[in-house]
């Protein structure tokens, strides 16, 4: 009798695409038919924080355009090596707020779990580009410790899976984690923060939808798109699959100089998101992480942009302009809550009363 070899499980499409990601500046410039003279300027930055970008995302960039807003988000640049006062390796002081390895408890009622230290794309403005992921890998027994921490705090209602990007982890690992979280009786929601539905839409497959919607926890997906051209047909299809499965989908963006710091782009982004059933959630000011100072948009200009955006869009399409403040109990919302309407700033005029004339 011939013994049968165990069935080999096929590699998911998303993992194949992840393995094919562009990993060198030289190849990226060649694919986009850009001047190789751009290569030396980013060599040092690429050594410090390597380039990584899926080919499907590269396909949305404009060939021959060195200022393409999608390209600027991933291309290593010499400016990243400049030391800028106020910009450091841990801008949100998260290492001080880690209750356990891989568990960050900043806000009341919710905690954040570092579910993976890997990303599908290395965004040059990433606030965790210097994060010590090696010290925050709660796999195996580590998850048990984290689950015990959650179970011991009945004030907690929500767990946020973050990273890196949590969706770079396998479905088997994430399903086990989701099941363990659902066993904690006071937890109500499972929120996933991920850029993969945008840069690698193949990730939104049946395996992902199965564990994300397969527990009693209410699923929320917060995606990350900064520019309307990031939303191509494949991304829109992936977002539709999430919504049809019953997942609440929100978007958060980062305000980036040269990428989306104009009203037209921000308006188009909000409208493109809503057309796919995604609500604009946050528009973040840049976190002051070392290597990203060249993306800075001043708070004054950001407020002006938010005010103009609020004047051109209905309120449900206006993301909240916000920033993270280390040690604060919540994000600081700058607008639209802090933006007064024109009517509230107009000088009050005493009404004119016309009296009938006497004859």
């Amino acid at each position: 009798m011939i013994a049968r070899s165990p069935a080999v499980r096929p590699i998911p499409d998303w993992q194949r695409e992840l393995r094919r990601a562009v990993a060198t500046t030289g190849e990226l410039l060649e694919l986009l038919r850009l001047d190789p003279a751009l290569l030396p300027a980013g060599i040092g930055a690429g050594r410090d924080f390597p380039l990584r970008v899926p080919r499907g995302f590269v396909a949305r960039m404009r060939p021959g355009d060195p200022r393409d807003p999608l390209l600027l988000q991933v291309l290593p640049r010499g400016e990243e090596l400049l030391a800028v006062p106020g910009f450091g390796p841990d801008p949100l002081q998260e290492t001080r707020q880690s209750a356990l390895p891989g568990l960050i408890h900043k806000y009341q009622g919710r905690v954040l779990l570092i579910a993976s230290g890997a990303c599908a794309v290395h965004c040059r403005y990433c606030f965790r580009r210097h994060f010590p992921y090696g010290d925050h890998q709660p796999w195996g027994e580590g998850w048990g410790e984290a689950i015990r921490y959650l179970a011991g705090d009945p004030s907690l209602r929500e767990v946020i899976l973050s990273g890196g990007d949590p969706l770079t982890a396998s479905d088997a690992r994430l399903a086990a984690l989701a099941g363990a979280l659902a066993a904690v009786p006071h937890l109500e929601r499972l929120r996933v923060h991920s850029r993969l539905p945008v840069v690698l839409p193949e990730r939104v497959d049946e395996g992902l939808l199965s564990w994300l919607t397969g527990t009693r926890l209410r699923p929320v997906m917060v995606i990350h798109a900064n520019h309307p051209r990031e939303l191509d047909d494949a991304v829109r299809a992936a977002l539709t699959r999430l919504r049809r499965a019953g997942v609440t989908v929100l978007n958060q963006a980062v305000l980036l100089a040269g990428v989306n710091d104009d009203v037209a782009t921000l308006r188009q982004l909000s409208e493109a998101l809503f057309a796919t059933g995604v609500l604009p959630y946050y528009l973040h000011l840049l976190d002051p992480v070392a290597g990203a100072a060249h993306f800075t948009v001043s708070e004054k200009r950001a407020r002006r942009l938010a005010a103009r955006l609020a004047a051109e869009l209905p309120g449900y399409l206006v993301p909240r302009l916000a920033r993270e403040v280390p040690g604060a109990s919540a994000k600081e919302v700058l607008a639209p809550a802090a933006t007064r309407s024109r009517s509230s700033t107009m000088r009050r005029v005493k009404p004119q009363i016309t009296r009938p004339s006497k004859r």
Side-chain angles (χ1 to χ4, degrees):
M1 183 174 180
I2 301 175
R4 293 183 179 180
S5 59
V8 178
R9 185 174 298 177
I11 299 174
D13 290 344
W14 71 269
Q15 288 187 347
R16 280 197 295 267
E17 286 303 306
L18 191 59
R19 293 175 183 178
R20 294 180 59 245
V22 178
T24 68
T25 304
E27 183 181 9
L28 181 60
L29 296 179
E30 183 178 354
L31 288 170
L32 295 174
R33 301 194 296 274
L34 290 169
D35 189 346
L38 295 172
L39 180 60
I43 288 179
R47 191 180 300 119
D48 177 61
F49 185 43
L51 180 144
R52 183 178 181 84
V53 54
R55 294 176 186 273
F57 194 71
V58 175
R60 297 170 226 169
M61 300 174 187
R62 288 190 294 256
D65 182 3
R67 307 302 302 174
D68 179 86
L70 276 60
L71 172 66
L72 292 179
Q73 296 180 56
V74 302
L75 181 68
R77 295 162 62 180
E79 295 97 321
E80 297 177 35
L81 302 176
L82 299 176
V84 179
F87 285 74
D90 187 9
L92 305 184
Q93 300 177 10
E94 290 185 313
T95 54
R96 302 181 186 179
Q97 298 165 329
S98 296
L100 295 168
L103 187 152
I104 299 173
H105 194 172
K106 293 195 293 185
Y107 300 144
Q108 185 174 349
R110 54 203 185 275
V111 298
L112 183 148
L113 293 181
I114 301 292
S116 173
C119 284
V121 60
H122 287 177
C123 301
R124 310 313 298 181
Y125 52 87
C126 178
F127 71 98
R128 290 199 184 119
R129 57 182 288 171
H130 306 288
F131 191 79
Y133 289 109
D135 300 331
H136 293 267
Q137 296 182 6
W139 313 127
E141 177 56 27
W143 282 131
E145 191 176 3
I147 298 300
R148 286 191 290 274
Y149 179 94
L150 301 174
D153 187 346
S155 71
L156 296 174
R157 293 290 180 267
E158 180 175 72
V159 172
I160 302 168
L161 301 187
S162 186
D165 194 306
L167 296 189
T168 57
S170 69
D171 287 323
R173 176 175 287 173
L174 292 170
L177 177 56
L181 294 172
V184 178
H186 49 264
L187 293 180
E188 299 173 359
R189 297 179 298 277
L190 177 61
R191 192 194 328 172
V192 179
H193 282 215
S194 178
R195 189 129 160 83
L196 263 73
V198 174
V199 302
L200 194 72
E202 295 89 346
R203 183 63 182 97
V204 184
D205 57 13
E206 289 304 316
L208 181 149
L209 296 176
S210 177
W211 66 260
L212 185 59
T213 64
T215 74
R216 65 172 186 81
L217 299 176
R218 183 164 185 172
V220 179
M221 180 76 72
V222 180
I223 65 168
H224 179 180
N226 296 317
H227 194 278
R229 281 207 289 110
E230 296 180 30
L231 307 176
D232 66 358
D233 289 343
V235 174
R236 286 189 285 270
L239 299 176
T240 299
R241 288 195 293 273
L242 284 167
R243 290 193 304 102
R244 287 179 176 172
V247 181
T248 298
V249 188
L250 309 170
N251 183 68
Q252 60 180 3
V254 181
L255 188 59
L256 302 166
V259 173
N260 59 5
D261 58 332
D262 64 273
V263 174
T265 297
L266 293 172
R267 183 184 65 245
Q268 291 165 17
L269 175 60
S270 285
E271 290 174 339
L273 287 165
F274 189 71
T276 313
V278 179
L279 276 178
Y281 179 36
Y282 277 122
L283 177 61
H284 287 277
L285 289 185
L286 179 74
D287 294 316
V289 63
H294 54 288
F295 285 113
T296 301
V297 177
S298 71
E299 179 182 331
K300 182 178 180 180
R301 184 156 184 268
R303 285 179 180 271
R304 286 201 303 266
L305 289 170
R308 289 184 57 193
L309 194 64
E312 296 186 17
L313 289 174
Y316 57 87
L317 291 188
V318 181
R320 287 177 285 179
L321 178 68
R323 65 178 163 206
E324 294 270 10
V325 179
S329 60
K331 291 180 176 64
E332 181 183 3
V333 177
L334 306 174
T339 303
R340 295 189 297 175
S341 66
R342 185 184 173 209
S343 61
S344 69
T345 62
M346 291 178 65
R347 182 173 58 89
R348 292 188 178 183
V349 180
K350 187 176 181 180
Q352 297 286 331
I353 300 176
T354 304
R355 299 181 183 276
S357 60
K358 293 182 179 179
R359 293 185 180 271

